[in-house]
Amino acid sequence: MVLDVDAGRFHVAGAPQAALSWSDLAGSLQSADRLQELRAEVDFTAAQPTFPFGAHIAVVEVDVETGGVDLQRMIAVDDAGRIINPLVVEGQVHGGVAAGIAQALFEELTYDDDGNPQNSNLVTYMFPASTEFPQFERVAMETLTPINPLGVKGIGESGTIGSTPAVHNAVVDALTPYGIRHVDMPVNGETVWRALQDAKHE
């Protein structure tokens, strides 16, 4: 028995004239007193990895007096091949983008001279709320991969890959006119302000 995927029908190999549709097959499993189980299991191993890709763009405004950074726009393109569940994809991208922005602008572990952590809880560790983010702009894109039958690629936490360097580079780009080519993360008010002060004395 083989499945003609295009026609959605089962038939004996080499004899497609007599065939069963999915509904025919399901109906044949029903009896007067019970419904028989139809089940199949296949383990698939791809010949090589798939490679999802994307691009992220951040638009920031920097206050050169205080070092404050205002993230105004965040655009994300993440291509994961054929999308099976759009809601899951949206959640992965949004959660990943938020985590990536947090790493670029807020989150930092600091230590005193003796090596003791100075922010060992969520009171002293800067963690942004959703109100500190702009509305994320997601551009949908589906490029099927030939590596597997479904044409799917990975999407898990993809937003973390592009958002951090996009935001970081946007801040550095905004500071380029002041002779600044690098700022350590997180690029928050203090680190940006210190970079501007150092640039004035060079």
Side-chain angles (χ1 to χ4, degrees), residues 65-116:
E65 297 299 323
T66 66
V69 175
D70 179 26
L71 177 61
Q72 299 184 329
R73 291 183 68 188
M74 189 72 216
I75 304 101
V77 180
D78 289 285
D79 190 324
R82 176 175 282 120
I83 302 303
I84 305 298
N85 187 329
L87 186 61
V88 168
V89 172
E90 289 286 339
Q92 288 291 333
V93 173
H94 280 231
V97 167
I101 293 170
Q103 182 181 0
L105 294 179
F106 301 99
E107 298 178 9
E108 181 180 23
L109 288 173
T110 58
Y111 302 87
D112 64 18
D113 292 338
D114 296 322
N116 299 308

Side-chain angles (χ1 to χ4, degrees), residues 67 69 102-109 164 167-169 171-172 175 180-196 198:
V69 175
Q103 182 181 0
L105 294 179
F106 301 99
E107 298 178 9
E108 181 180 23
L109 288 173
T164 303
V167 173
H168 189 200
N169 287 333
V171 173
V172 173
L175 297 173
I180 298 171
R181 301 298 300 164
H182 175 76
V183 182
D184 288 334
M185 291 194 303
V187 283
N188 55 31
E190 180 182 357
T191 55
V192 172
W193 183 84
R194 289 184 184 279
L196 285 164
D198 291 342

Side-chain angles (χ1 to χ4, degrees), residues 84-156:
I84 305 298
N85 187 329
L87 186 61
V88 168
V89 172
E90 289 286 339
Q92 288 291 333
V93 173
H94 280 231
V97 167
I101 293 170
Q103 182 181 0
L105 294 179
F106 301 99
E107 298 178 9
E108 181 180 23
L109 288 173
T110 58
Y111 302 87
D112 64 18
D113 292 338
D114 296 322
N116 299 308
Q118 297 300 289
N119 39 15
S120 56
N121 56 56
L122 294 180
V123 174
T124 55
Y125 183 82
M126 183 59 176
F127 192 83
S130 61
T131 54
E132 296 175 89
F133 297 126
Q135 185 70 32
F136 301 153
E137 302 169 49
R138 182 172 175 270
V139 180
M141 188 176 204
E142 292 185 37
T143 305
L144 306 189
T145 178
I147 306 302
N148 59 67
L150 293 177
V152 297
K153 298 179 278 190
I155 192 65

Side-chain angles (χ1 to χ4, degrees), residues 152-164:
V152 297
K153 298 179 278 190
I155 192 65
E157 300 181 3
S158 64
T160 60
I161 299 169
S163 56
T164 303

